[in-house]
Structures are given as C-alpha cells and as structure tokens.
C-alpha cells in the first residue's frame, strides 16, 4: 500500500473514531470516551508521521531534479508531449499545480533533463 492510500485509510478511521467519540460523550460513557481519545491520538500521530514521509520524499525528488538542466516548456511542446519525451532522454515534466511543483515553487510547466534540450 502506498503512502497516499494509507493516509486516506487513516483519515477515514480518524473520522469514524471522532463520530463514535461524540456518541460516547452524549451517552456519558467515560471508559469508551477514553478508549477513543487514545485511538484518535495514536492515529493522529501516525498521520503526522506519514505526512513527514511524504514531505521527505518530495524534498528528495526535488533535490534530484534541481541538479538537472531545467527549462520552461512552450505551449507547442506541451501540446506534443509524446514527441518531446521521445527526443529528450530522461525528461521529467513537472506541472506547477502538482505537489512537486508547488513544493519547488514553479510558476510554469517545467521540463528537467540530464542534458540541455
């Protein structure tokens, strides 16, 4: 299971436990409330851990890309992406609206390659 799926499952569990905690609070069941509070704390800790892993992965990928040649892609190149990828070996295209693009602070669609293109 990848990090994104695991994070989604943990958020679902967290939501479920919060609803159950609210029900236990309405009933006044102290033992159940403490159990769900412990579960919520554990899941929140795990969610923070996974988000940290995702950030480290993005930083690692961004560092690898920053050592490569980069250039903003023209509209014509973006329209014919298949041809561009065939002609440029090792091309990585990063869109500014993706996690990687936002993390790198890109303004336009940018191509990264080992050599100038």
């Amino acid at each position: 299971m990848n990090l994104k799926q695991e994070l989604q499952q943990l958020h679902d569990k967290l939501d479920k436990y919060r609803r159950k905690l609210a029900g236990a609070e309405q009933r006044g069941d102290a033992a159940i409330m403490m159990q769900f509070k412990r579960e919520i704390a554990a899941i929140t800790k795990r969610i923070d851990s996974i988000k940290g892993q995702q950030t480290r992965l993005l930083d690692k990928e961004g560092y690898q890309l920053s050592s490569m040649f980069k250039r903003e892609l023209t509209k014509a190149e973006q329209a014919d992406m298949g041809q561009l990828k065939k002609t440029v070996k090792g091309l990585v295209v990063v869109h500014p609206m993706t996690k990687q693009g936002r993390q790198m602070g890109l303004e336009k669609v940018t191509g990264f390659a080992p050599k100038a293109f």
Side-chain angles (χ1 to χ4, degrees):
M1 175 182 336
N2 65 21
L3 292 177
K4 187 176 179 181
Q5 290 172 335
E6 187 174 352
L7 190 61
Q8 183 62 44
Q9 285 182 347
L10 287 173
H11 276 294
D12 291 344
K13 273 187 184 179
L14 183 63
D15 189 42
K16 180 174 75 172
Y17 287 157
R18 283 183 177 158
R19 284 194 310 270
K20 287 187 177 190
L21 176 63
E25 286 174 345
Q26 286 178 348
R27 291 189 310 269
D29 194 349
I32 300 295
M33 287 187 330
M34 288 303 295
Q35 175 188 353
F36 283 124
K37 285 180 182 178
R38 282 193 302 268
E39 292 288 335
I40 288 172
I43 289 177
T44 303
K45 185 176 178 181
R46 180 70 180 134
I47 287 173
D48 290 341
S49 171
I50 290 176
K51 285 184 179 179
Q53 284 179 335
Q54 284 181 327
T55 303
R56 281 192 302 278
L57 286 174
L58 282 176
D59 288 343
K60 182 180 175 183
E61 290 173 11
Y63 177 74
Q64 290 173 345
L65 290 177
S66 67
S67 65
M68 301 172 100
F69 176 78
K70 78 175 192 176
R71 177 171 70 82
E72 292 179 0
L73 301 180
T74 64
K75 294 290 181 185
E77 289 172 331
Q78 291 177 38
D80 197 9
M81 192 68 69
Q83 181 63 32
L84 180 64
K85 285 189 174 186
K86 286 179 186 176
T87 58
V88 180
K89 297 284 187 193
L91 177 69
V92 178
V93 178
V94 180
H95 194 278
M97 297 305 290
T98 61
K99 283 184 184 180
Q100 186 70 48
R102 286 192 304 266
Q103 189 263 344
M104 294 177 75
L106 298 178
E107 297 291 322
K108 298 194 178 203
V109 178
T110 307
F112 295 87
K115 297 178 182 175
F117 62 97

